[in-house]
Amino acid sequence: SQTIHQWPATLVQPVGSPLSLECTVEGTSNPNLYWYRQAAGRGLQLLFYSVGIGQISSEVPQNLSASRPQDRQFILSSKKLLLSDSGFYLCAWSANWGRDGYTFGSGTRLTVV
Amino acid sequence: AQRVTQPEKLLSVFKGAPVELKCNYSYSGSPELFWYVQYSRQRLQLLLRHISRESIKGFTADLNKGETSFHLKKPFAQEEDSAMYYCALSGITNAGKSTFGDGTTLTVKP
């Protein structure tokens, strides 16, 4: 069966420090991968998506970047965190071009101090 | 552009009462619509898809293209239905990217 792992679960980082959040998927190949940010009381905002190794599309200009070094690995990064980067980050994967819906990771709560 | 609107941030009903969570969408193509649910301290998970025309945990949702709506309904709410519900729209022509509504927090009171 397919599973998705996301870590760390929580992270407290100082302003200006780098960031690396990792997401891996098991039990499937060539998934579509997504990074979302979930704000309290708001919906999910799509940050990046990837349809294959090395293929990254950015949805909103920001201080973050994403990479997909392997088929089932998706990484969210920043060189220098800002206070406004605080939030809850979700990784998700889909098959069949999203027609089956998404499977989400458990999320990372990032607090920039 | 695709957009999803959930007009109610909070919805409270008594156990056994019917419940309807509203969702309206805007999309120029043929939409794929979904409902997701997030129970307390659990990860966000898919509840149902319009294309499956299924009933999950007693919930159903019908796509009304004329009214551009995909409301989620359950005839008799249970306390365990208390959760955050998100409506989402996906277009297969754009890598399956989904646009989510802001969510509705449903509370079912005993």
Side-chain angles (χ1 to χ4, degrees):
Chain A
S1 64
Q2 302 95 348
T3 55
I4 178 168
H5 303 283
Q6 189 179 341
W7 68 92
T10 59
L11 192 59
V12 180
Q13 292 284 95
V15 169
S17 64
L19 173 74
S20 181
L21 303 181
E22 190 161 341
C23 173
T24 59
V25 181
E26 296 177 358
T28 187
S29 59
N30 198 31
N32 284 5
L33 296 171
Y34 311 86
W35 278 110
Y36 280 84
R37 180 161 51 201
Q38 183 180 26
R42 300 295 305 275
L44 281 68
Q45 180 188 33
L46 180 62
L47 303 176
F48 301 94
Y49 69 94
S50 172
V51 300
I53 297 174
Q55 301 178 60
I56 307 295
S57 295
S58 173
E59 285 295 294
V60 293
Q62 59 209 317
N63 187 43
L64 303 169
S65 62
S67 61
R68 185 170 176 174
Q70 300 180 45
D71 180 45
R72 289 169 287 179
Q73 184 185 30
F74 204 24
I75 298 171
L76 184 68
S77 305
S78 174
K79 291 183 179 178
K80 288 185 178 182
L81 283 168
L82 306 171
L83 287 174
S84 58
D85 292 323
S86 294
F88 191 62
Y89 292 86
L90 285 168
C91 180
W93 77 272
S94 74
N96 198 17
W97 293 95
R99 300 195 76 184
D100 297 334
Y102 287 179
T103 300
F104 283 93
S106 52
T108 296
R109 172 73 60 194
L110 172 65
T111 304
V112 182
V113 296
Chain B
Q2 53 193 64
R3 191 160 72 178
V4 176
T5 303
Q6 293 180 250
E8 304 141 326
K9 279 195 178 294
L10 302 171
L11 184 62
S12 181
V13 301
F14 284 101
K15 177 183 173 181
V19 62
E20 179 179 68
L21 291 86
K22 291 184 167 53
C23 172
N24 290 92
Y25 68 89
S26 173
Y27 186 60
S28 57
S30 185
E32 303 277 349
L33 284 151
F34 307 86
W35 276 99
Y36 291 84
V37 60
Q38 189 168 30
Y39 301 103
S40 178
R41 288 186 285 277
Q42 294 187 28
R43 65 177 68 186
L44 190 59
Q45 58 187 282
L46 179 66
L47 179 61
L48 53 80
R49 309 171 288 166
H50 94 268
I51 198 169
S52 300
R53 302 186 65 82
E54 56 203 344
S55 174
I56 302 293
K57 298 184 179 183
F59 285 99
T60 59
D62 291 319
L63 176 59
N64 186 322
K65 290 189 177 181
E67 296 183 359
T68 59
S69 68
F70 187 57
H71 303 327
L72 183 68
K73 300 176 184 179
K74 185 170 183 177
F76 307 103
Q78 303 300 314
E79 290 180 68
E80 55 265 31
D81 296 328
S82 296
M84 174 74 107
Y85 292 81
Y86 290 97
C87 181
L89 180 154
S90 179
I92 61 171
T93 57
N94 57 359
K97 294 185 295 180
S98 278
T99 298
F100 287 77
D102 286 349
T104 297
T105 301
L106 173 65
T107 301
V108 181
K109 296 180 286 188

